[in-house]
Amino acid sequence: MSKWTGELRLTVEKKNSKTIPKDVYFQGAFKVMRPHYLDESGQVTYFLINPGGGYVDGDTYRMEIEVEEEAELLLTTQSAAKVYRTPHLPVIQETEITLKKNSVFEYIPDPLIGYRDARYKQKNVIRMENGSTLIYSDMLTPGWSPEGDLFSYEQLQLINEIYLEDELIVFDHLKLEPKRQQIESIGLMEGYTHLGSMIVVCDKATSEFLDELYALLGEVAGDCKFGISQLAVSGFTLRVLGESTQAIEKIFMECHRFIREQWFNKTAVFLRKY
């Protein structure tokens, strides 16, 4: 019997200009729908599902994703991840991602919603080979509470470790604890309620591209606040603070569209499920 509440292993490979599944295994409160092909590029898309409807006290989840050489995978979720009250043990989510040479992995999930007294810890370890491309996003939103308090969760913690040819190139650690932090202060939520984060690593991420991207996102940001930081390698992080899921999604969708068009000559994909 597995020690994990939900477990997923997914490996994809490229054959005859099309990415196909090589190994798919899931058990417990994790599963994926059948593969979809949303455009003519041959990229495969999977929708990740949590049949339980939400995360509760002591749940543990593990994903292993491998994208083989020149394969292209887009992974998204069917709905938001809802973390409910965890009085004894936090919800744990561990993910290992391996990107082989010249592969592309895009992870665009729905938001993570932290409800009253929720504790959630997520750790991603991503190993990339030269020429591979990573587009990874997360969004944190506050859940409903009886008192109407927007920040009633106990802790949301996200850790990303990214290695390129076994060298650590990104260590990103976000930890929100509203009862211990001045959550609305400078450097945290700064008066906003929703937080979005995107990490992109690709040798096509030039300074000129980032200048164009910054100008483009400025046109659609509205009341959101956003910032782009260039990485030590070819890549960048995008942070967005906003007042709604839809406002941050709009910025992420525009960024994603621009990357697909400029780097891969692909059309935009529409992933919203409502």
Side-chain angles (χ1 to χ4, degrees):
M1 183 176 179
S2 174
K3 68 175 183 178
W4 304 98
T5 307
E7 189 175 6
L8 168 69
R9 293 197 304 269
L10 173 63
T11 301
V12 298
E13 63 180 344
K14 187 170 184 177
K15 282 194 174 180
N16 301 323
S17 74
K18 186 177 183 179
T19 299
I20 61 172
K22 180 179 180 180
D23 177 52
V24 182
Y25 167 81
F26 52 83
Q27 69 84 28
F30 252 174
K31 67 179 295 186
V32 289
M33 297 172 64
R34 62 180 179 83
H36 289 71
Y37 294 88
L38 304 181
D39 57 27
E40 303 300 320
S41 70
Q43 181 183 45
V44 67
T45 298
Y46 276 98
F47 288 81
L48 180 64
I49 303 170
N50 182 335
Y55 299 159
V56 295
D57 196 69
D59 277 357
T60 57
Y61 295 85
R62 179 170 176 81
M63 287 198 298
E64 295 179 22
I65 309 292
E66 183 169 335
V67 188
E68 296 201 342
E69 190 167 332
E70 296 189 356
E72 300 180 359
L73 169 65
L74 193 160
L75 182 64
T76 186
T77 51
Q78 188 187 44
S79 61
K82 303 176 180 67
V83 185
Y84 297 110
R85 186 169 175 264
T86 55
H88 303 295
L89 294 171
V91 174
I92 302 294
Q93 165 84 57
E94 294 184 2
T95 302
E96 289 191 10
I97 299 167
T98 302
L99 306 183
K100 296 297 183 68
K101 185 177 179 181
N102 297 330
S103 64
V104 177
F105 178 55
E106 303 169 56
Y107 184 56
I108 313 291
D110 290 278
L112 176 74
I113 305 175
Y115 286 89
R116 182 180 180 182
D117 298 330
R119 289 179 294 161
Y120 176 86
K121 295 183 178 183
Q122 173 180 293
K123 183 176 182 180
N124 301 316
V125 177
I126 303 169
R127 302 186 185 277
M128 306 176 64
E129 292 184 0
N130 283 329
S132 60
T133 296
L134 170 71
I135 303 171
Y136 180 92
S137 66
D138 275 308
M139 192 185 311
L140 303 180
T141 74
W144 177 87
S145 71
E147 296 80 16
D149 184 2
L150 288 172
F151 300 105
S152 60
Y153 52 81
E154 285 284 339
Q155 181 188 95
L156 299 180
Q157 182 177 15
L158 309 179
I159 298 173
N160 291 300
E161 292 181 12
I162 304 177
Y163 296 84
L164 179 61
E165 297 292 344
D166 296 324
E167 180 181 350
L168 181 64
I169 59 169
V170 175
F171 181 80
D172 186 57
H173 186 189
L174 175 66
K175 188 174 184 181
L176 298 179
E177 296 180 293
K179 294 180 180 178
R180 298 184 179 184
Q181 301 166 326
Q182 293 182 323
I183 199 70
E184 296 186 357
S185 65
I186 297 292
L188 291 172
M189 296 303 291
E190 301 188 9
Y192 291 89
T193 55
H194 294 58
L195 169 64
S197 179
M198 181 179 285
I199 302 175
V200 178
V201 180
C202 180
D203 56 16
K204 297 180 176 65
T206 63
S207 297
E208 293 76 16
F209 174 84
L210 295 184
D211 289 342
E212 292 182 37
L213 177 63
Y214 188 86
L216 180 68
L217 297 185
E219 296 176 1
V220 300
D223 294 331
C224 292
K225 180 184 292 186
F226 77 94
I228 296 176
S229 300
Q230 193 165 6
L231 299 176
V233 296
S234 294
F236 65 92
T237 59
L238 168 65
R239 303 278 200 206
V240 185
L241 294 170
E243 296 289 353
S244 71
T245 297
Q246 292 75 18
I248 296 178
E249 277 182 342
K250 183 177 181 180
I251 296 174
F252 277 5
M253 288 174 63
E254 188 66 9
C255 180
H256 193 207
R257 178 198 66 79
F258 191 61
I259 288 173
R260 286 174 64 90
E261 289 181 356
Q262 295 294 312
W263 293 354
F264 305 112
N265 195 29
K266 293 181 182 178
T267 58
V269 290
F270 188 75
L271 297 174
R272 288 173 66 180
K273 297 91 185 175
Y274 50 86

